[in-house]
Amino acid sequence: MAETLEFSVVVPVHNESGNVEALAREIATALDGRAYEMIFVDDASTDETRSELAELKETFPALRILSHRKNAGQSRAIRTGVQAARGRVVGTLDGDGQNDPADLPDLYRALTRQDAPEKLAMVMGRRASRKDTAWKRFGSRFANSIRKRMLRDDCDDSGCGIKVLRREVYLTLPYFDHMHRYMPALVRADGYDVEYMDVNHRERGAGRSKYTNFGRLWAALSDLRGVTWLIRRRRNPEGADEI
């Protein structure tokens, strides 16, 4: 099975009871006819998320469930899923239902097309019409403007959770908490190309957001200094040849 899989979809979830069943069904519909797997990584939820996922295993043979023993955050959950993935291409999307799984096939085709640039490693979604509150959109624009100026990553929407990338490239990236928000800069720092594609964005399903503007800003100030340091210290050999 591992050799025939085209695509692994990783979904980090924490307290997303009421959202995971609908999301699993949408992923299965979007990827029907493909050789794929969907990996839900439960980041130590305290609600019914884990039991709801377990009940879906008989309905969806492509579903795999990984469960953290201790809460470790979204970036760690994504990494756990990608490490376990069997596909050479991995897609990620948020577990709250705001990313639309119907966009996954287009992102996959863009990454794997025959005329893609040789160094293309990731195609990332860009929320064309966000369904968040005005205050949340303002906070996102403010943070993106600072990040884009400092990192020069050409990314207008680093908070968009839906993206498709080459697994082998992801696994070479340095891991740190919140790294999922700096993927374009990290991928580009390793000498690869990143493209962006407009995607759908929806209202949140059940539950509420785990983040606030001030919480994100506080973390971002520290993260930006660290990511800037990492990028400056990276040395890219542009591949290696065996002789």
Side-chain angles (χ1 to χ4, degrees), residues 61-184:
L63 173 62
R64 298 170 63 195
I65 305 166
L66 303 177
S67 183
H68 283 171
R69 297 169 187 169
K70 182 179 179 181
N71 181 267
Q74 185 172 348
S75 286
R76 180 69 256 189
I78 292 172
R79 187 169 182 82
T80 295
V82 176
Q83 287 176 323
R86 299 171 180 144
R88 295 178 63 186
V89 176
V90 175
T92 70
L93 69 165
D94 293 339
D96 57 12
Q98 289 195 270
N99 298 141
D100 190 346
D103 287 316
L104 286 170
D106 287 340
L107 293 169
Y108 178 88
R109 282 191 289 268
L111 178 67
T112 60
R113 68 189 191 272
Q114 288 189 348
D115 61 344
E118 181 182 357
K119 289 287 190 177
L120 182 62
M122 183 170 76
V123 179
M124 180 169 176
R126 179 175 51 214
R127 292 167 289 188
S129 180
R130 290 188 61 176
K131 303 302 180 183
D132 294 317
T133 64
W135 174 242
K136 194 171 182 180
R137 292 196 303 271
F138 168 78
S140 181
R141 286 196 301 270
F142 179 72
N144 274 311
S145 66
I146 295 175
R147 189 215 70 260
K148 188 175 179 180
R149 189 178 305 117
M150 289 185 64
L151 300 182
R152 300 175 184 175
D153 59 3
D154 198 32
C155 178
D156 295 318
D157 188 11
S158 66
C160 185
I162 189 167
K163 55 182 72 71
V164 169
L165 65 157
R166 301 195 182 279
R167 178 177 180 269
E168 62 181 10
V169 172
Y170 173 89
L171 292 176
T172 66
L173 302 179
Y175 167 76
F176 54 91
D177 198 19
H178 302 140
M179 70 169 285
H180 66 281
R181 297 189 174 278
Y182 301 92
M183 294 280 288

Side-chain angles (χ1 to χ4, degrees), residues 181-195:
R181 297 189 174 278
Y182 301 92
M183 294 280 288
L186 295 171
V187 170
R188 287 169 59 121
D190 261 8
Y192 296 99
D193 294 333
V194 178
E195 292 182 353

Side-chain angles (χ1 to χ4, degrees), residues 6 17 21 23 41 44 57 69 77 81-82 87 140-141 151 159 163 166 212 220 230 240:
E6 294 178 70
S17 174
E21 179 177 356
L23 191 54
V41 183
K57 285 184 67 69
R69 297 169 187 169
V82 176
S140 181
R141 286 196 301 270
L151 300 182
K163 55 182 72 71
R166 301 195 182 279
T212 65
L230 274 174

